[in-house]
Amino acid sequence: MLDIQKIRADFPILDEKINGKDLVYFDNAATTQKPLPVLNALANYYGHYNANIHRGIHHLAEKATSAFEASRKTIQKFLNARYTEEIIFTYGTTDGINLVAQTYGRAFLKEGDEIIISAMEHHSNIVPWQMLCEQNGCVLKVIPVNDDGELILEAYEKLLSGKTKFVSVVHVSNALGTINPVKYIIQKAHEVGAKVLIDGAQATSHLTIDVQDLDTDFYVFSAHKLYGPTGMGALYGKKELLEAMPPYRGGGEMIKEVTFEKTTYNELPYKFEAGTPNIADVIAVKTAIEYLDELGKENVAAYENELLAYATEQLLKIEGLKIIGQAKDKVSVISFVIEGIHPQDVGVILDQQGIAVRTGHHCTQPLMKRFGIPGTSRASFAVYNTKEEIDKLVLGIEKVKKMVL
Ligand SMILES: *Cc1c(COP(=O)(O)O)cnc(C)c1O
């Protein structure tokens, strides 16, 4: 059992007052808040051992390098990757997908090859593939979504063929909360010889990830949705694929030897880490993962599911409110629309009451189009949220209705 009040005390931002009201933070799918140990890890690095990594032999450089590399080990364990060098530090999910599209995609996909994504992708798992298609003449195919917000797997299987060379789908939808059956999707893609990338941006804070069990070729996530800092994430890739891929950005750290005639590249993982990385943030993500591990992923998931069930039940009592995304397998994300009220108005009036939700298209414009709506209001719950806060949301929405209708 988790002591939620004790957990809340770890997150100083939860004491903020917004418009004179206690902050109710329900925008966790956009970014989670950071616990004190993570804030301290950042301050400790900058205050006590700030130095550039890998290049120095002085004490601080060695200390920073070893903390930096320790984080790679932690992420390896977190994803259950086989090798440490399969973990590439990135600036986040978006960066990781672009890396794969511009290295694996440009090197190994040819004109007429097909790439499958889904109708519930975040723009960051659509646009990099469209850019690749413009560059090399690949063709994009889209797995449709049913009315409950689940992928239509029969349609996916029909899309698969010998032409399919890459499948890139989201593990957990940020707009609907749907947990996709990615293990099955990966297995089916492999049967036709395609490689697979899974966008884990929303999955890592709610689910236990095992890249070996999934047998995925690539997996990407962002630290900031996992109680860690912004501007930092990781790409997991199978070693033999990463080795075969050309480098992404050129510069320091990613080289072995540079001459004007020919440059040779560094080994994994450094081949993909040009330039000075987000050292502090990389170091702090280790602390974020350890924080979550200490709470216990299963405990966190069980508690969040309790919040999801409670919120779903309470919200559905509100007349005119409809939940978009009623998949059987969901994380604690609730997107909703209210008859006759624009999501923007919901967001503004809830904010006046100190309640932070997200409104709009959630970087999933094609998905909104699929449901025939301009956007939704989205409440997404993290481990520090409470049922009392959900009660405030319900009262808040009743107030919105009184004011607008
Ligand atoms: C947030 C999110 C992204 C993008 O993550 P960044 O940290 O902005 O790069 C991609 N996919 C999903 C499902 C997301 O929720």
Side-chain angles (χ1 to χ4, degrees):
M1 276 298 286
L2 297 172
D3 182 346
I4 303 303
Q5 288 313 316
K6 186 161 164 279
I7 292 170
R8 287 181 68 81
D10 289 334
F11 291 82
I13 204 168
L14 298 178
D15 293 333
E16 291 294 306
K17 299 273 185 242
I18 308 294
N19 297 316
K21 307 273 170 32
D22 288 339
L23 167 66
V24 173
Y25 187 77
F26 283 161
D27 196 14
N28 295 289
T31 198
T32 52
Q33 299 301 345
K34 325 301 172 199
L36 276 170
V38 170
L39 303 179
N40 292 339
L42 291 169
N44 191 34
Y45 164 73
Y46 283 124
H48 297 286
Y49 61 102
N50 172 53
N52 210 333
I53 50 162
H54 295 146
R55 288 158 217 177
I57 51 156
H58 60 81
H59 179 81
L60 294 184
E62 281 190 355
K63 186 165 178 188
T65 303
S66 98
F68 182 85
E69 289 302 329
S71 202
R72 203 185 303 275
K73 263 249 152 322
T74 300
I75 294 174
Q76 178 201 348
K77 262 181 56 197
F78 181 66
L79 299 179
N80 194 33
R82 186 167 291 141
Y83 305 108
T84 319
E85 61 269 31
E86 291 180 320
I87 305 301
I88 312 293
F89 293 130
T90 66
Y91 298 109
T93 303
T94 306
D95 190 37
I97 297 171
N98 277 278
L99 189 163
V100 174
Q102 288 300 312
T103 59
Y104 185 88
R106 284 186 93 163
F108 300 115
L109 300 192
K110 304 276 172 305
E111 191 172 344
D113 286 350
E114 294 180 357
I115 301 167
I116 297 179
I117 60 171
S118 88
M120 66 169 81
E121 298 309 318
H122 189 282
H123 295 162
S124 69
N125 199 25
I126 301 174
V127 185
W129 303 112
Q130 287 176 323
M131 289 164 68
L132 176 67
C133 288
E134 278 177 21
Q135 288 160 347
N136 69 2
C138 287
V139 179
L140 206 58
K141 300 274 171 177
V142 182
I143 311 167
V145 167
N146 70 18
D147 290 341
D148 285 336
E150 297 166 323
L151 294 180
I152 302 175
L153 293 175
E154 304 80 66
Y156 168 56
E157 285 166 38
K158 284 202 188 108
L159 288 176
L160 287 166
S161 76
K163 285 188 188 163
T164 312
K165 292 295 183 279
F166 209 93
V167 175
S168 192
V169 294
V170 71
H171 197 165
V172 171
S173 161
N174 63 307
L176 307 170
T178 310
I179 303 172
N180 287 319
V182 289
K183 190 170 175 175
Y184 180 77
I185 290 169
I186 293 162
Q187 184 203 323
K188 285 286 157 192
H190 285 167
E191 282 174 15
V192 299
K195 300 291 184 244
V196 185
L197 179 146
I198 301 297
D199 169 356
Q202 294 294 333
T204 47
S205 64
H206 302 288
L207 310 176
T208 301
I209 313 298
D210 183 336
V211 291
Q212 291 187 71
D213 178 58
L214 290 175
D215 194 28
T216 188
D217 300 294
F218 301 100
Y219 198 96
V220 292
F221 71 92
S222 300
H224 72 96
K225 292 177 175 172
L226 184 64
Y227 308 101
T230 52
M232 190 275 152
L235 157 70
Y236 157 82
K238 281 183 183 163
K239 191 174 166 182
E240 64 272 19
L241 294 175
L242 293 174
E243 268 168 356
M245 282 152 58
Y248 183 33
R249 301 188 180 101
E253 192 64 29
M254 54 76 74
I255 52 88
K256 200 167 254 157
E257 199 177 352
V258 177
T259 68
F260 287 120
E261 289 70 41
K262 178 152 181 64
T263 288
T264 51
Y265 304 123
N266 207 338
E267 57 204 28
L268 291 178
Y270 313 110
K271 181 171 87 176
F272 294 108
E273 294 178 357
T276 300
N278 269 338
I279 302 168
D281 298 326
V282 166
I283 290 171
V285 77
K286 177 174 190 285
T287 313
I289 289 173
E290 285 166 354
Y291 182 83
L292 199 55
D293 275 349
E294 231 162 86
L295 297 179
K297 266 261 177 98
E298 297 76 24
N299 299 334
V300 171
Y303 179 66
E304 287 172 346
N305 286 339
E306 215 179 292
L307 292 179
L308 174 67
Y310 181 73
T312 303
E313 190 191 316
Q314 297 305 313
L315 287 172
L316 285 175
K317 286 182 188 161
I318 299 174
E319 222 187 288
L321 184 146
K322 189 172 155 219
I323 292 177
I324 306 292
Q326 312 224 43
K328 279 184 287 302
D329 281 330
K330 265 188 83 168
V331 300
S332 49
V333 168
I334 301 184
S335 252
F336 59 90
V337 290
I338 305 167
E339 217 181 309
I341 307 180
H342 196 279
Q344 179 89 14
D345 293 334
V346 178
V348 169
I349 299 169
L350 286 178
D351 181 58
Q352 288 165 2
Q353 303 167 63
I355 303 170
V357 296
R358 180 136 306 227
T359 61
H361 54 64
H362 317 294
C363 295
T364 57
Q365 285 178 358
L367 182 66
M368 297 298 115
K369 196 171 163 201
R370 153 70 181 83
F371 282 97
I373 49 179
T376 71
S377 303
R378 180 187 69 189
S380 48
F381 312 120
V383 65
Y384 40 68
N385 290 128
T386 64
K387 287 184 184 165
E388 291 72 44
E389 289 180 315
I390 291 168
D391 292 339
K392 284 186 188 177
L393 173 68
V394 172
L395 287 175
I397 294 171
E398 293 294 1
K399 196 160 173 184
V400 173
K401 285 179 65 181
K402 270 198 205 100
M403 287 176 74
V404 178
L405 293 179

